[in-house]
Amino acid sequence: MDNLLVSFSEKGTREKVVITVLGSIIFLIILAILYFLTTPSQNNKQSFPGEAVQPSSMPLQPIEKTSFTGKPLTYKNSYYSISYPDSYSHEEGQIPGGGTSLILKPQTQDSLNTVIEIQTYDALVASQSAVENVFSALGYQRNQTTVFNIPAVVYKGLISNGEASLRETAVIFTYQNRVYKLQLTYVSNNENSDAEQVLQRIVAGFKLSPSY
């Protein structure tokens, strides 16, 4: 190690810059690999390089059950059922290892980058702690809540590249050896209170299927 430090100190300024940049790129690549190894793939989620930040002005809001405006729609599969706004579209997907994915998107033109994804999969494929480690490594806020009277954790934070911010809120819990993750993702310099409330209402009305 000492030899490496001496060798680096003898490099010219230009070489030091190149080495530093390459090292940063390699670190980001490793972080990305760890992310995809510990989290099932998310459809339609774009790469957003930047720095994770945790502003003190972004408190976690308590999840309270409130009704949707308009006529809410219902989605149900073998594991759970939810209600969601009729202004959202839904798309089903599969996760390797026997998992399921439900993607909800607002149908308004100005909300194309807003996605709510609900994932459930076998805990042997990716444990809750492995999923939590991804958000913990980013320095996201962590809080506790309940989903259908089951203890759950909430992670909230953003990644900023100086021009825009990728904001994420994830609710994670385990029930009968299956991990559930309800996650809101959108790109905005300001918090989207409407989207955040939709996630809160979905979580508040989340029901596990009686047959499971």
Side-chain angles (χ1 to χ4, degrees), residues 18-204:
V18 172
I19 292 173
T20 302
V21 171
L22 289 176
S24 300
I25 293 175
I26 292 173
F27 174 78
L28 290 174
I29 292 175
I30 293 175
L31 183 62
I33 292 174
L34 289 174
Y35 180 88
F36 286 109
L37 285 177
T38 57
T39 305
S41 60
Q42 299 183 28
N43 298 329
N44 301 325
K45 183 174 181 181
Q46 300 177 347
S47 175
F48 193 92
E51 180 182 359
V53 296
Q54 186 182 6
S56 57
S57 60
M58 190 178 60
L60 288 168
Q61 300 296 327
I63 296 176
E64 299 176 352
K65 188 171 184 179
T66 54
S67 60
F68 293 107
T69 57
K71 183 179 180 180
L73 302 177
T74 300
Y75 170 85
K76 183 178 181 179
N77 63 18
S78 301
Y79 303 106
Y80 65 86
S81 63
I82 62 166
S83 294
Y84 63 96
D86 58 1
S87 58
Y88 276 61
S89 63
H90 84 272
E91 178 183 349
E92 295 178 295
Q94 296 294 321
I95 299 174
T100 66
S101 172
L102 176 69
I103 295 177
L104 303 173
K105 292 182 178 181
Q107 300 183 60
T108 54
Q109 186 65 28
D110 58 349
S111 301
L112 294 179
N113 65 359
T114 301
V115 176
I116 295 176
E117 183 170 15
I118 302 175
Q119 295 181 345
T120 175
Y121 42 89
D122 195 310
L124 295 177
V125 176
S127 66
Q128 178 173 333
S129 60
V131 177
E132 286 194 50
N133 286 341
V134 175
F135 299 102
S136 297
L138 293 173
Y140 284 7
Q141 287 180 303
R142 185 183 189 275
N143 204 348
Q144 296 181 341
T145 186
T146 58
V147 179
F148 202 61
N149 295 322
I150 297 171
V153 294
V154 183
Y155 283 91
K156 187 170 184 178
L158 62 89
I159 301 174
S160 177
N161 63 5
E163 297 181 357
S165 297
L166 174 69
R167 296 174 179 265
E168 297 180 298
T169 301
V171 180
I172 309 166
F173 69 95
T174 301
Y175 178 71
Q176 294 190 356
N177 296 321
R178 290 195 72 83
V179 177
Y180 294 78
K181 182 176 72 169
L182 297 82
Q183 181 171 338
L184 166 65
T185 303
Y186 60 95
V187 178
S188 176
N189 288 325
N190 300 308
E191 184 171 288
N192 185 337
S193 59
D194 291 339
E196 297 283 354
Q197 289 177 13
V198 169
L199 176 65
Q200 290 180 14
R201 292 167 184 167
I202 289 175
V203 171

